[in-house]
Amino acid sequence: APVIGPIIGGIFVTYFSWPWIFYLNLPLGCIVLLFALRFIPPSARRTGQPLDKWGFMFTALALIGLLYGLDSFAHGSFPPWLSGLLIGLGIVMAAVAARHFRSSAKPLLNLQIAQVHTYALSNLWVGTLVRTGINATPFLLPLYFQQVLGLSAVAAGGYMLAYFLGNFGMKS
């Protein structure tokens, strides 16, 4: 899908219109659902631990505050003081969530694993930076090709096809 999707999407956007991307995905999604129901056996029910509702709520409020605050600041949709307040509330709620995770018997997110130095360094710091760079390219490169270089959606999709084929070949 990441290899052929951009070129097919570019063809539909260029020669039809952008809603056709969704019209194409609807029957494909139904076909995939039917195949999944037919060929994937139901899994056994697992009895897991109960959901940490407070941890979920604190984390959700932290993300809402941070994301709305940063988005409103970047787009100017709220006054800067209100955006700053939302960002500050998001940071406070993140601290409350972290404190809750450390004191809860069954936390939503176990922060103790971050105390393992090699795990924290490789996954939380370097891994996050590398994954951010790699995972951002499928979204940023087409925008760059179209907005900065002025290419059509088909041409941008063609470049993305070459990019992903190279990526695919490199990984194998």
Side-chain angles (χ1 to χ4, degrees), residues 7-132:
I7 189 73
I8 292 173
I11 290 169
F12 272 84
V13 167
T14 300
Y15 297 111
F16 301 103
S17 64
W18 67 267
W20 276 96
I21 295 172
F22 300 102
Y23 301 148
L24 175 70
N25 280 326
L26 186 63
L28 289 176
C30 291
I31 292 168
V32 169
L33 178 64
L34 292 174
F35 273 98
L37 292 172
R38 169 71 176 98
F39 294 108
I40 298 176
S43 60
R45 291 266 180 200
R46 291 187 288 166
T47 57
Q49 64 187 29
L51 176 67
D52 177 13
K53 292 178 182 129
W54 285 106
F56 179 82
M57 184 183 70
F58 294 147
T59 305
L61 290 172
L63 287 172
I64 288 169
L66 286 170
L67 292 175
Y68 272 114
L70 291 169
D71 184 69
S72 65
F73 185 75
H75 292 103
S77 52
F78 294 153
W81 67 268
L82 185 55
S83 298
L85 181 66
L86 284 171
I87 294 168
L89 287 172
I91 291 169
V92 168
M93 290 310 300
V96 170
R99 183 174 180 191
H100 170 77
F101 293 148
R102 280 191 230 101
S103 64
S104 177
K106 299 207 183 249
L108 179 69
L109 181 62
N110 186 354
L111 297 179
Q112 290 179 346
I113 195 161
Q115 293 175 352
V116 178
H117 182 68
T118 53
Y119 177 83
L121 182 63
S122 64
N123 284 297
L124 301 179
W125 291 107
V126 177
T128 299
L129 295 174
V130 169
R131 279 190 298 274
T132 300

Side-chain angles (χ1 to χ4, degrees), residues 1-8 138 142 157 159-165 167-168 171:
V3 174
I4 63 171
I7 189 73
I8 292 173
Y159 278 111
M160 292 307 295
L161 175 66
Y163 169 80
F164 279 116
L165 284 173
N167 193 334
F168 183 71
K171 287 181 178 175

